[in-house]
């Protein structure tokens, strides 16, 4: 039976009590936000005539998500990460800080503390001899085109099966995760392997939510970056390897035209030797432009829960 009780004084008074409006302690902001959130949900229950069975099934699903630490995986699929990016883009625009390489979502699979190298490194542990060798390189510049020497370029990506080290216990510690400090010309160079696309774990609570929406949990092949340098705005971004069927069908909504990079297959012994490689490889070039800023809070990544990162960092 459909009943409508949300607009009654009893429900409105009840909401005020639940949100702690009549209590002296606590946070005003928390009270106002929780009041708004609960009001929207109570109204939704009324409007959609949500049954107790539906409500408790949702609580069960949220418990499953929490048990598997999956809220961070589901958030990109529900567009929250991209929505926060859209807001930060608008803030940059309003501050006159637009320009440079565009940001896109961090995703939930970063791990703090990867090995640091000067200028050049190898990211894969050599255990995957079937995968394609990738030569990943680029130059960090400011928006006036001046090279940024000593920039910190943190890179992480999946292996050829779409798995990320740390979260995939079959991989060695920090496999495919490195920090490279740019050389005097602002350049970074890395030997690695071409990553595959990624999919949320089949049958996981995140997958169940997406399936209920008739959606998939696939991402195109991509490579994550954090780039920072004193006097410049911290950049969180990713590149997508062009030609992937999911390029414009990314469940996490992270693809941007400017961040699509075409790998260049090279089968030339001299070119391979010049990079210290033995055979054919694919070169992926990603140059990065950083906006300048003196504001210290814009020069580092924002806080969020991250694997192996102290909350105080
Ligand atoms: C997810 C995984 C990723 O590798 C990524 O880059 C973004 C999101 C996820 O599982 O939600
Ligand atoms: Fe990713």
């Amino acid at each position: 039976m459909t009943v409508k009780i949300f607009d009654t004084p009893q429900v409105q008074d009840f909401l005020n009590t639940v949100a702690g409006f009549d209590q002296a302690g606590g946070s005003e902001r928390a009270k106002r936000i929780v009041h708004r959130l609960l009001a929207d949900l109570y109204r939704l229950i009324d409007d959609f005539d949500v049954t107790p069975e539906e409500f408790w099934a949702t609580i069960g699903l949220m418990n499953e998500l929490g048990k598997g630490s999956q809220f961070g995986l589901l958030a990109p699929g529900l567009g929250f990460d991209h929505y926060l990016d859209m807001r930060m883009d608008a803030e940059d625009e309003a501050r006159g800080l637009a320009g440079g390489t565009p940001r896109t979502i961090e995703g939930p699979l970063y791990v703090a503390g990867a090995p640091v190298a000067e200028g050049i490194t190898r990211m894969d542990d050599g255990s995957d001899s079937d995968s394609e060798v990738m030569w990943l390189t680029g130059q960090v510049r400011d928006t006036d085109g001046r090279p940024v020497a000593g920039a910190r370029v943190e890179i992480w990506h999946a292996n050829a099966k779409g798995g990320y080290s740390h979260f995939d216990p079959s991989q060695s510690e920090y496999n495919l995760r490195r920090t490279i400090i740019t050389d005097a010309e602002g350049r970074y160079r890395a030997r690695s392997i071409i990553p595959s696309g990624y999919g949320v774990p089949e049958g996981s609570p995140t997958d169940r939510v997406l399936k209920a929406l008739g959606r998939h949990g696939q991402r195109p092949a991509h490579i994550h970056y954090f780039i920072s340098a004193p006097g410049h705005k911290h950049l969180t971004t990713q590149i997508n390897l062009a030609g992937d069927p999911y390029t414009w069908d990314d469940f996490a909504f992270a693809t941007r035209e400017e961040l699509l990079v075409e790998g260049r297959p090279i089968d030339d012994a001299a070119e391979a030797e010049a990079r210290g490689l033995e055979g054919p490889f694919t070169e992926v070039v990603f140059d990065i432009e950083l906006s300048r800023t003196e504001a210290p809070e814009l020069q580092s990544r924002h806080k969020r829960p991250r694997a192996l990162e102290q909350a105080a960092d």
Side-chain angles (χ1 to χ4, degrees), residues 164 219 222 224:
Y164 283 83
R219 298 212 59 210
H222 61 278
H224 294 268

Short mmCIF file of all heavy atoms in Angstrom, two decimals, residues 164 219 222 224, ligand 2:
data_model
loop_
_atom_site.label_atom_id
_atom_site.label_comp_id
_atom_site.label_asym_id
_atom_site.label_seq_id
_atom_site.Cartn_x
_atom_site.Cartn_y
_atom_site.Cartn_z
N TYR A 164 46.79 -5.52 -10.42
CA TYR A 164 47.72 -4.56 -9.83
C TYR A 164 48.46 -5.23 -8.68
O TYR A 164 47.83 -5.86 -7.82
CB TYR A 164 46.95 -3.37 -9.26
CG TYR A 164 46.46 -2.37 -10.27
CD1 TYR A 164 45.28 -2.58 -10.97
CD2 TYR A 164 47.19 -1.21 -10.52
CE1 TYR A 164 44.83 -1.66 -11.89
CE2 TYR A 164 46.73 -0.27 -11.44
CZ TYR A 164 45.56 -0.50 -12.13
OH TYR A 164 45.10 0.41 -13.03
N ARG A 219 37.48 -1.40 -17.58
CA ARG A 219 38.22 -0.17 -17.92
C ARG A 219 39.15 -0.47 -19.10
O ARG A 219 39.70 -1.56 -19.18
CB ARG A 219 39.09 0.26 -16.73
CG ARG A 219 38.31 0.60 -15.46
CD ARG A 219 39.03 1.69 -14.70
NE ARG A 219 39.15 2.84 -15.56
CZ ARG A 219 40.14 3.73 -15.52
NH1 ARG A 219 41.11 3.60 -14.65
NH2 ARG A 219 40.15 4.74 -16.35
N HIS A 222 45.20 1.37 -19.21
CA HIS A 222 45.55 2.72 -18.78
C HIS A 222 46.77 2.70 -17.87
O HIS A 222 47.12 1.65 -17.32
CB HIS A 222 44.36 3.37 -18.05
CG HIS A 222 43.95 2.62 -16.82
ND1 HIS A 222 43.14 1.50 -16.86
CD2 HIS A 222 44.26 2.80 -15.51
CE1 HIS A 222 42.97 1.04 -15.65
NE2 HIS A 222 43.64 1.80 -14.79
N HIS A 224 48.51 5.03 -14.67
CA HIS A 224 48.25 6.12 -13.71
C HIS A 224 49.50 6.96 -13.46
O HIS A 224 50.61 6.42 -13.41
CB HIS A 224 47.85 5.53 -12.36
CG HIS A 224 46.56 4.80 -12.36
ND1 HIS A 224 45.37 5.41 -12.07
CD2 HIS A 224 46.26 3.51 -12.62
CE1 HIS A 224 44.39 4.51 -12.13
NE2 HIS A 224 44.91 3.35 -12.47
FE1 LIG B 2 43.69 1.68 -12.70
#
